[in-house]
């Protein structure tokens, strides 16, 4: 039966694989990697995404061949639904930023067990930042504990959200809202909530398991939460891997954020 020691060992495995994949991605960074378009031309994918994905798949599945596999850059295999434990991977979260030569992109890797993440890492090679968490353990950034913020009546809530969502939220939050400009990696944006650089974020509908799983756990272990606008935690490794509109913040402000955001469902 899996226990905390299992997930700690899995986290060590994830970190090692993510570092290798991130180093491989850096080989392509700011060097004009080949780019293709998927999802009817809406989403770019680069040679770096595929190279990082290959390393992650080799390193992780060779060590845990009984785990399922769900990655943005691998054709989905319904066999994962029969697995209690799966790897959930985004080899480069923030591909547009990567292609544009911007620093905010990361390797996102998680172990999900019975629908919830139990180990997760976000590695941002260009920033030399590593965020980690395992179930029942602390959330760490470069080995040091991090924590989501508490409400502060003396200042507005710093929210990372689209301009229209932030505007719609303005009149519903005590103290108002200060909008944080666009963060090109969703996983990294959630990590910014976990380490207190921003107070909250709203996630538009259609984010996927691979965007969220690792960051969800890191935020949870930092004293925060990522939930639906009904206040429910997310479930991963379902047949459908996309999600509705979401809210994230420290736990002490989360119910207020959800209440203030509920009218934005469907955005």
């Amino acid at each position: 039966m899996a226990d905390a020691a299992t997930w700690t060992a899995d986290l060590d495995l994830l970190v090692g694989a993510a570092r290798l994949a991130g180093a491989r991605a850096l080989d392509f960074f700011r060097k004009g990697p080949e780019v293709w378009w998927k999802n009817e031309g809406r989403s770019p994918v680069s040679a770096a995404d595929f190279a990082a994905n290959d390393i992650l798949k080799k390193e992780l599945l060779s060590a845990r061949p009984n785990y399922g596999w769900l990655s943005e850059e691998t054709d989905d295999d319904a066999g994962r639904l029969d697995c209690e434990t799966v790897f959930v991977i985004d080899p480069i979260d923030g591909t547009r930023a990567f292609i544009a030569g911007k620093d905010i992109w990361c390797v996102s890797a998680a172990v999900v067990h019975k629908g919830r993440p139990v180990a997760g890492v976000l590695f941002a090679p260009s920033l030399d930042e590593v965020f980690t968490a395992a179930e029942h353990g602390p959330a760490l950034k470069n080995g040091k504990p991090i924590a989501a913020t508490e409400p502060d009546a003396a200042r507005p809530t710093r929210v990372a959200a689209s301009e229209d969502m932030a505007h719609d939220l303005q009149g519903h939050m005590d103290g108002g809202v200060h909008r944080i400009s666009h963060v090109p990696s969703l996983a990294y944006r959630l990590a910014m909530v976990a380490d207190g650089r921003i107070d909250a974020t709203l996630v538009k509908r259609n984010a996927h398991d691979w965007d969220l799983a690792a960051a969800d756990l890191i935020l949870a272990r930092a004293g925060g939460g990522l939930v639906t606008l009904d206040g429910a935690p997310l479930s991963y490794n379902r047949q459908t891997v996309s999600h509705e509109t979401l809210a994230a913040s420290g736990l002490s402000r989360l119910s207020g954020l959800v209440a203030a955001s509920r009218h934005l469902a469907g955005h």
Side-chain angles (χ1 to χ4, degrees):
M1 182 170 174
D3 57 15
T6 301
W7 309 137
T8 300
D10 280 1
L11 178 58
D12 290 342
L13 176 66
L14 290 177
V15 171
R19 285 190 174 278
L20 289 173
R24 183 70 181 107
L26 280 177
D27 291 339
F28 296 84
F29 189 48
R30 296 176 178 151
K31 296 176 183 176
E34 190 169 0
V35 175
W36 300 266
W37 290 85
K38 57 184 183 177
N39 300 328
E40 299 176 342
R42 295 191 302 272
S43 304
V45 58
S46 75
D49 293 81
F50 292 129
N53 190 66
D54 288 347
I55 288 174
L56 289 160
K57 192 171 186 180
K58 176 179 178 291
E59 293 292 321
L60 297 175
L61 288 181
S62 64
R64 302 286 190 273
N66 58 318
Y67 284 14
W69 180 262
L70 175 63
S71 168
E72 181 174 15
E73 308 307 347
T74 305
D75 289 340
D76 196 7
D77 179 358
R80 66 179 170 79
L81 298 172
D82 298 323
C83 299
E84 273 196 340
T85 310
V86 298
F87 291 114
V88 179
I89 304 295
D90 192 344
I92 297 180
D93 187 81
T95 296
R96 288 177 186 271
F98 179 91
I99 293 167
K102 298 177 181 178
D103 288 326
I104 296 182
W105 54 275
C106 62
V107 179
S108 174
V111 172
V112 166
H113 180 67
K114 295 183 177 179
R116 288 293 301 165
V118 290
V121 59
L122 301 175
F123 175 40
S126 190
L127 299 171
D128 195 24
E129 293 176 354
V130 183
F131 299 83
T132 58
E135 191 177 48
H136 306 307
L140 304 175
K141 177 182 179 181
N142 291 349
K144 297 180 180 180
I146 55 175
T149 61
E150 301 282 337
D152 182 351
R155 62 171 177 79
T157 302
R158 299 167 299 173
V159 177
S162 64
E163 193 167 351
D164 59 328
M165 292 177 87
H167 180 268
D168 287 347
L169 195 62
Q170 184 70 248
H172 298 266
M173 296 284 290
D174 291 341
V177 166
H178 171 70
R179 179 178 175 254
I180 302 298
S181 58
H182 178 63
V183 179
S185 161
L186 172 52
Y188 191 84
R189 191 198 326 163
L190 292 167
M192 291 174 69
V193 179
D195 74 9
R197 278 178 286 172
I198 57 180
D199 301 314
T201 190
L202 299 178
V203 180
K204 288 193 171 187
R205 65 192 301 268
N206 290 327
H208 291 80
D209 281 12
W210 48 75
D211 303 310
L212 303 168
D216 185 343
L217 178 64
I218 292 163
L219 179 56
R221 300 312 303 160
L226 171 67
V227 296
T228 70
L229 297 190
D230 294 325
L234 307 192
S235 180
Y236 297 96
N237 193 36
R238 307 165 303 161
Q239 186 166 355
T240 300
V241 297
S242 61
H243 298 266
E244 294 300 315
T245 309
L246 307 173
S249 72
L251 288 179
S252 54
R253 73 168 87 236
L254 190 56
S255 61
L257 177 67
V258 166
S261 308
R262 198 161 284 139
H263 68 290
L264 297 172
H267 274 57

